[in-house]
Amino acid sequence: MGARGERVTGDRGGSAVRVWWDARRTRRRGPEAVRRRQQERLAELVVFARTNSPYYRRLYHGLPERIEDVTALPVTDKRALMASFDDVVTDPAVTRAAVEEFVADPARIGEPFAGKYLVATTAGTTGVRGVFVLDDRYRAVTSGLMARLSADWLSPREVVRLVVRGGRFAAVVATGGHFLAVATSTREQRERPRRHRRLRILSIHRPLPELVAELNAFDPLLLGAYASVLRLLASEQQAGRLHLRPVLALSTAEGLPPEERIRLERAFAAPVREVYGCTESGYAASSCTEGWLHLIGDWVILEPVDAEHRPVPPGTISHTVLMTNLANRVLPIIRYDVGDRVLVKPDPCACGNPAPALRVQGRASDVLTFPAADGRGRVTVPPLALGTVVDRVPGVELFQIVQTDPTGLRVRLHPAAEADPEQVWTDVLSGIAGLLDDLGLAHVTVQRAAEAPQQSPGGKYRTVVPLPAS
C-alpha cells in the first residue's frame, strides 16, 4: 500500500525538492497558509489511517468523516502503538515479528525493510523500546525540510565557503543499533556512495581523544551531534586539542541551554543551531538566532498539554506534548504522547519568524517524586529545577542526577578540564541542598558518584534519572 494524497513519494530526490519548494512557498505566504496546509494534510492522513489501519479504524469509529481539528481525535502513545503494532501499520507486509527479526541483525542497519522502508528504534530510556517503520514520504520530507532550514541558517558567504571546501559533514551519533541517525546515514551511503563520501559517521561510544583525532583529520564544515557531545567537543576546542573551523554546528536530541549555545558559538566561531523532534515525528521545530525553537507547522502538529491532555496556554510549561507526524503513512503517528515538557513563548519572537516559538524543558518522565518530610503526601521536583541549579555552577561540563531510593540522590559530574573538581562538587552540593531545603526536602540525601555521567543505549545523557516506575 502506497501513500495517498500528495505526491511526495516516487523519486526521492525529486520528492525532497518538491518538499523544499512547497515549504518555502507556504512559509512565504504566512501563518494562515501554513495552517491550511496543516489542515489538508491532517484530513488526508486520518482518511488514510482509517482506510488502511485496523487500529485507527477502531479508534476513530463514530468520528466525523473529515477531521481538520486534531483535538477531535483520541490520544495514543508508544506503549499502545507497540502493543498493537500489526494493526497500527498500514502495510500488511510489515509485522512486528518480521521487524524485530530485522533489527536483531546489526548488519542490516540502513538496509531497506520489505524492500522499501527505513526501520529505526528508540533506546527505551522512558521504559518502552520503540520500533518504527518509516516510508519514503517521511524521508523526502526530512531531506526537504533540512534543505530549507540550512538555507535559513547559512548566509550566502557561508554557503560558498561550504561548497568551496567540499561540504564535509561529520555526525557524532549513537551506533551499534538501528537508531535513526545512523540508519538514515547508512542507507544514504549505500544508495548514493559517491555523494556521501563527504559524510563521516562517528560513534558516540568511542573515547573522546579518538573522536577528537578523527574530527581533526576529517575537518568537517558541518558538525552535528547531541547537545551533550557538542559541549564536550567545545571544551576540547577551547583547550586547543580540537581544531575545527565549521560553517555550522547542529545540536540534536537534547536541550541546549542558551548560555551554552553562546559558549559553543564562541568555541567553534560558527553559528550553533538546534532541531527538535524525535524518531516518531521527524523534525518538529528548528532554532532561530534568539535561541528559540520555531514549529514546522506545515508537517508537524504539536500540542502542549497538561496531565489530562488538556491544552495549556503559552507561557505555561506543559506536562507533556502531543505530536502528529503529517508525513509518515506506513505507521501513522497521530496525537502521540511524546513525554516532553515544553514552554511556548507567549509573545512574538524577536527574530521575526511568526511560527510559534518554544523551548523544551525536559521530559515528564524525568520528574522526581519524594515523600514529604512529615510523611504526609509527596513532593514532586521537575527536572528543570534541579538542572538549572547544577548547570549554572562554573566548571560543570556534564552532569547527571540519579534518584537511588525514595529519599536519595546520586550526582555524577564531569568537571571541565581547568576546573577544581572539589570546588565544583562543593558548589553543586550547596546548590542542590539549598533547593531541596527550600522545597521542604532537607531529609533527602545527596551523594557524590565516583563514576562519570552514563550514556543511555541511544548515546544520550539523561540529566535527571528518577526511580523506575513501580
Side-chain angles (χ1 to χ4, degrees):
M1 296 182 184
R4 300 175 185 176
E6 297 163 287
R7 297 188 61 191
V8 189
T9 52
D11 175 73
R12 186 166 179 279
S15 295
V17 171
R18 285 197 295 272
V19 169
W20 168 81
W21 175 251
D22 182 78
R24 181 173 179 267
R25 181 178 56 183
T26 302
R27 179 179 172 183
R28 285 187 170 184
R29 290 176 176 174
E32 182 58 26
V34 172
R35 188 185 67 82
R36 287 196 301 269
R37 266 283 186 265
Q38 186 183 93
Q39 288 180 327
E40 293 166 2
R41 287 171 176 154
L42 174 64
E44 291 171 359
L45 175 61
V46 171
V47 169
F48 186 87
R50 279 175 138 168
T51 303
N52 298 283
S53 164
Y55 173 85
Y56 282 107
R57 189 157 50 247
R58 290 193 301 268
L59 192 64
Y60 296 164
H61 179 71
L63 294 179
E65 182 177 345
R66 183 172 177 85
I67 300 291
E68 293 185 348
D69 180 0
V70 74
T71 63
L73 301 171
V75 172
T76 62
D77 58 26
K78 187 190 295 184
R79 190 178 299 276
L81 296 194
M82 293 301 102
S84 301
F85 188 91
D86 289 0
D87 281 348
V88 173
V89 293
T90 60
D91 184 343
V94 178
T95 66
R96 182 65 183 267
V99 174
E100 290 286 1
E101 181 183 357
F102 181 88
V103 300
D105 185 357
R108 304 187 75 179
I109 295 173
E111 179 183 312
F113 173 77
K116 52 185 172 180
Y117 299 123
L118 183 72
V119 173
T121 61
T122 59
T125 55
T126 58
V128 181
R129 176 175 175 268
V131 181
F132 296 93
V133 183
L134 313 170
D135 56 28
D136 278 354
R137 179 187 175 91
Y138 175 105
R139 296 175 62 215
V141 169
T142 300
S143 296
L145 290 178
M146 181 49 67
R148 196 204 83 184
L149 296 176
S150 299
D152 292 342
W153 291 331
L154 299 176
S155 67
R157 180 179 179 181
E158 289 166 336
V159 172
V160 170
R161 183 181 165 208
L162 185 64
V163 173
V164 169
R165 290 183 54 197
R168 294 180 302 281
F169 174 49
V172 186
V173 297
T175 57
H178 291 253
F179 305 121
L180 181 60
V182 70
T184 300
S185 301
T186 303
R187 182 161 174 178
E188 292 279 358
Q189 288 175 323
R190 287 175 174 174
E191 293 179 348
R192 293 177 172 84
R194 293 182 63 185
R195 181 185 300 180
H196 287 85
R197 287 174 185 168
R198 298 187 297 271
L199 172 64
R200 187 68 53 86
I201 303 299
L202 303 177
S203 174
I204 188 69
H205 306 292
R206 295 176 62 184
L208 186 59
E210 292 183 14
L211 283 177
V212 168
E214 186 155 357
L215 284 168
N216 281 334
F218 187 59
D219 191 22
L221 270 294
L222 298 174
L223 175 64
Y226 304 145
S228 53
V229 176
L230 280 180
R231 295 171 75 166
L232 290 174
L233 294 176
S235 295
E236 292 296 296
Q237 182 96 350
Q238 290 173 318
R241 291 182 288 271
L242 188 63
H243 312 287
L244 300 186
R245 299 169 296 157
V247 171
L248 174 73
L250 185 61
S251 174
T252 64
E254 301 163 320
L256 185 65
E259 62 276 10
E260 273 299 285
R261 179 177 63 86
I262 295 172
R263 182 178 76 90
L264 266 58
E265 289 184 333
R266 289 173 177 166
F268 294 120
V272 175
R273 296 291 179 262
E274 296 177 71
V275 288
Y276 166 60
C278 56
T279 300
E280 301 94 304
S281 72
Y283 296 137
S286 64
S287 69
C288 67
T289 54
E290 299 295 315
W292 287 88
L293 293 158
H294 288 270
L295 184 63
I296 305 173
D298 43 347
W299 283 107
V300 174
I301 302 175
L302 181 146
E303 304 171 71
V305 294
D306 64 15
E308 303 300 321
H309 296 142
R310 297 171 301 200
V312 300
T316 301
I317 297 176
S318 70
H319 173 77
T320 185
V321 68
L322 307 179
M323 293 271 205
T324 299
N325 177 346
L326 299 171
N328 193 34
R329 296 286 180 87
V330 65
L331 199 164
I333 300 295
I334 306 172
R335 296 207 85 198
Y336 178 89
D337 189 335
V338 174
D340 289 338
R341 296 158 56 87
V342 303
L343 171 71
V344 175
K345 188 174 173 58
D347 51 345
C349 186
C351 77
N353 187 339
L358 60 105
R359 282 193 175 134
V360 182
Q361 307 290 339
R363 299 188 66 88
S365 59
D366 289 341
V367 173
L368 299 176
T369 303
F370 302 97
D374 59 6
R376 301 175 182 176
R378 308 186 72 77
V379 178
T380 59
V381 181
L384 186 64
L386 278 169
T388 51
V389 164
V390 180
D391 209 48
R392 64 178 177 233
V393 172
V396 174
E397 197 154 282
L398 283 181
F399 69 92
Q400 195 168 56
I401 302 171
V402 182
Q403 187 175 12
T404 54
D405 58 62
T407 58
L409 294 177
R410 186 177 177 88
V411 182
R412 297 167 176 164
L413 289 173
H414 181 103
E418 69 281 2
D420 177 355
E422 298 306 318
Q423 185 61 52
V424 169
W425 166 244
T426 298
D427 293 344
V428 166
L429 179 60
S430 174
I432 294 177
L435 173 66
L436 293 174
D437 189 56
D438 290 343
L439 296 173
L441 295 171
H443 59 293
V444 174
T445 61
V446 183
Q447 294 182 328
R448 180 182 184 180
E451 71 274 12
Q454 305 295 299
Q455 294 168 287
S456 72
K460 303 174 189 175
Y461 290 91
R462 289 177 68 184
T463 55
V464 177
V465 184
L467 284 174
S470 56

